[in-house]
Each structure stands twice: as structure tokens, then as C-alpha cells.
């Protein structure tokens, strides 16, 4: 793997409770030097993710903002594309659209919308159709399509005269069908690996992704190969509260888990350099609770 791909580092936000707290947090993340602030999608918990990111765009100047990730079943792809255009314009090109098929925890949210939580095969097929519609709309096309999952008639979302910035698409993927979908369509692939996955396990997944990328369609502004992303679950001995009773970071590090880094800031930086070289992973995100522990690592690797 090449080591020339620049590192990027992001923070996964927890639900905001007040305007002041949220905007102060966005500014703090930017001041620390992180590249992105991303937020999960939920109906039951926290504020609605897209307005939150729009507000953060007004409080920052350099920080990229993204969804990590939208649950595809919550919204029609035309509305997703329309909102992505608005966020792309309002952020001066700093919005990144993350989207996925939904994980088991989104089932209750589907129920709030009166929608069934379908089998993975159905949800992935629906996401594949959705992503194709979204991509075409963001490219400025007018889309008419019919099918099992979506029907659109003369859909267009880029207002006439609007200079539309490129909106990168991130897809979270772990299984073979999702990996193939992401390899063909995503600018960034968030690797869905188990907490204890070692480098060999991650490398096998990356190989499937690279093989699936053969014949990847080309679009203006899209990289030849997708950027690879991993969510770090532990930095040294620091873990998010929701994982505190479930993982032992020292044991995971000893087993070679790629979702953790350990040691001094310099040692952790070296571990991430090795993962970039051997796996091609260059974009790492951490939870809010880990960002202070990770900041010294970020400063060592900044600009590489």
C-alpha cells in the first residue's frame, strides 16, 4: 500500500443538548486540529443530525462536517440529495454525506416511522438503488426511475445557477454485498470490522474491497480508489463509557486489534503509519470521549 495518502482525523459527536454546547464543541474540535466532525443518525436520541451539521457549519471555517451515517430507510433519496446540496452550499463545500443500510439498533426508529426493519438483503438492495439516485442528482442530473424500491419523476435538486460543490459519499460496509456497493460508489469506505479484528482480518476485507473496485465508475472529483476509514474504539487505556464494561483495551492491543492504539503518543502515531502502509487506512475517527487522549497523536501526524 502507498503511504502517500494524507491522514485525516475526525470526532464522532454525541447528542447535543443546547445550541451553545453544540457550537462550542464544533469550534473546539476545529481548534484541536481535527479534520472532520461527524454525527450519527437517530430519531429517538439527540437532535436531528442534518440541522445540527448546518448549525456547526456556521460556527466553523475549516472543519468538514458529515453524517456517520444516515440510515437509508429514514428518508427518500431525493430528499437526501436535496439536503446534501443545501449543506454543501451552506458549508462552502465542507459537507460529507455518510450513508448506510441501517444496523439492528435502528429497528425501533424504523418502527416510529411505521416501516418494517427488513432483512439485510433487502436493505442493502434498497441502499444500492438509493446511492445511485443520490449520486446522479448530486452530479446535476434530472432523474426519472422506477423500480421495486423507489420511483422518481423528473427529479432534480441543484437549483439553476447554483455552483454545486462536490459532496463526497461515505458508505459504511462490512459484509460482501456492502463492500461491493461501497467499492463501486463511495469516496470513503468506513470499514465495519469487529472490535477484536486483527490486521489479517482487516487485510482480507480490504482485499475484497480492492477487488470489487475493478471497473469502478469514474466521476468528476472522485478518487480512483476509495479512502478507507476506521473508528478507533480505544486510545491507550481510554475507552468510551458505553464500552467500558465490554472491552479491555490492553488485551485488544496485545491481540493486534486494529480498532485500538496503545503506548506513548509517538508509538500510537507509528501504529497508525503502519496501518496506513499495510492496509491503506488513512482516515481515523474517535468518539468525543477519546479526542483529548488522541490529540497528541494527531499533532504528531498532522500534515502527513
Amino acid at each position: 500500500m502507498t503511504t502517500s495518502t494524507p491522514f485525516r482525523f475526525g470526532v464522532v459527536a454525541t447528542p447535543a443538548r443546547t445550541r451553545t454546547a453544540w457550537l462550542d464543541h464544533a469550534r473546539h474540535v476545529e481548534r484541536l486540529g481535527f479534520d472532520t466532525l461527524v454525527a450519527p443518525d437517530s430519531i429517538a436520541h439527540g437532535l436531528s443530525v442534518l440541522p445540527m451539521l448546518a448549525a456547526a457549519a456556521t460556527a466553523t471555517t475549516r472543519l468538514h462536517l458529515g453524517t456517520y451515517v444516515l440510515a437509508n430507510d429514514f428518508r427518500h433519496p431525493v430528499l437526501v440529495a436535496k439536503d446534501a446540496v443545501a449543506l454543501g452550499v451552506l458549508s462552502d463545500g465542507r459537507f460529507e454525506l455518510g450513508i448506510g443500510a441501517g444496523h439492528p439498533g435502528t429497528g425501533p426508529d424504523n418502527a416510529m416511522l411505521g416501516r418494517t426493519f427488513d432483512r439485510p438483503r433487502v436493505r442493502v438492495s434498497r441502499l444500492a438503488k438509493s446511492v445511485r439516485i443520490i449520486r446522479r442528482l448530486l452530479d446535476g442530473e434530472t432523474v426519472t426511475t422506477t423500480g421495486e424500491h423507489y420511483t422518481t419523476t423528473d427529479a432534480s435538486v441543484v437549483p439553476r445557477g447554483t455552483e454545486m460543490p462536490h459532496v463526497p459519499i461515505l458508505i459504511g460496509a462490512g459484509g460482501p454485498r456492502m463492500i461491493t456497493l461501497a467499492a463501486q460508489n463511495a469516496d470513503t469506505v468506513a470499514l465495519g470490522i469487529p472490535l477484536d479484528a486483527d490486521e489479517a482480518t482487516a487485510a482480507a476485507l480490504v482485499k475484497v474491497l480492492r477487488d470489487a473496485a475493478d471497473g469502478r465508475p469514474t466521476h468528476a472529483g472522485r478518487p480512483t480508489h476509495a479512502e478507507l476509514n476506521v473508528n478507533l474504539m480505544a486510545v491507550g487505556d481510554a475507552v468510551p463509557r458505553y464500552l467500558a464494561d465490554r472491552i479491555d483495551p490492553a488485551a485488544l492491543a496485545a491481540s493486534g486489534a486494529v480498532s485500538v492504539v496503545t503506548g506513548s503518543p509517538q508509538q500510537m502515531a507509528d501504529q497508525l503509519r503502519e496501518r496506513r502502509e499495510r492496509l491503506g487506512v488513512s482516515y481515523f475517527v474517535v468518539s468525543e470521549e477519546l479526542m483529548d487522549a488522541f490529540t497528541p497523536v494527531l499533532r504528531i501526524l498532522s500534515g502527513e
Side-chain angles (χ1 to χ4, degrees), residues 225-242:
H225 297 289
E227 173 187 55
L228 300 185
N229 162 258
V230 164
N231 187 354
L232 295 176
M233 298 299 178
V235 176
D237 58 2
V239 297
R241 282 189 296 272
Y242 77 96

Side-chain angles (χ1 to χ4, degrees), residues 131-249:
V131 167
R132 285 192 289 269
I133 292 171
I134 291 168
R135 175 68 74 182
R136 291 178 62 192
L137 290 169
L138 293 180
D139 285 344
E141 295 184 33
T142 298
V143 179
T144 297
T145 183
T146 59
E148 178 183 0
H149 302 299
Y150 300 108
T151 297
T152 67
T153 302
D154 295 332
S156 62
V157 297
V158 180
R160 185 171 299 174
T162 298
E163 185 176 346
M164 178 57 197
H166 175 62
V167 176
I169 293 179
L170 175 149
I171 295 177
R177 291 189 68 213
M178 283 295 297
I179 285 291
T180 299
L181 170 63
Q184 290 289 312
N185 294 280
D187 299 275
T188 300
V189 179
L191 297 175
I193 55 176
L195 284 172
D196 59 353
D198 61 13
E199 187 173 303
T201 301
L205 188 63
V206 171
K207 184 181 186 305
V208 172
L209 188 145
R210 297 304 190 199
D211 290 345
D214 289 343
R216 172 183 168 97
T218 58
H219 294 273
R222 289 188 63 199
T224 304
H225 297 289
E227 173 187 55
L228 300 185
N229 162 258
V230 164
N231 187 354
L232 295 176
M233 298 299 178
V235 176
D237 58 2
V239 297
R241 282 189 296 272
Y242 77 96
L243 288 176
D245 297 330
R246 294 173 48 196
I247 67 171
D248 178 347

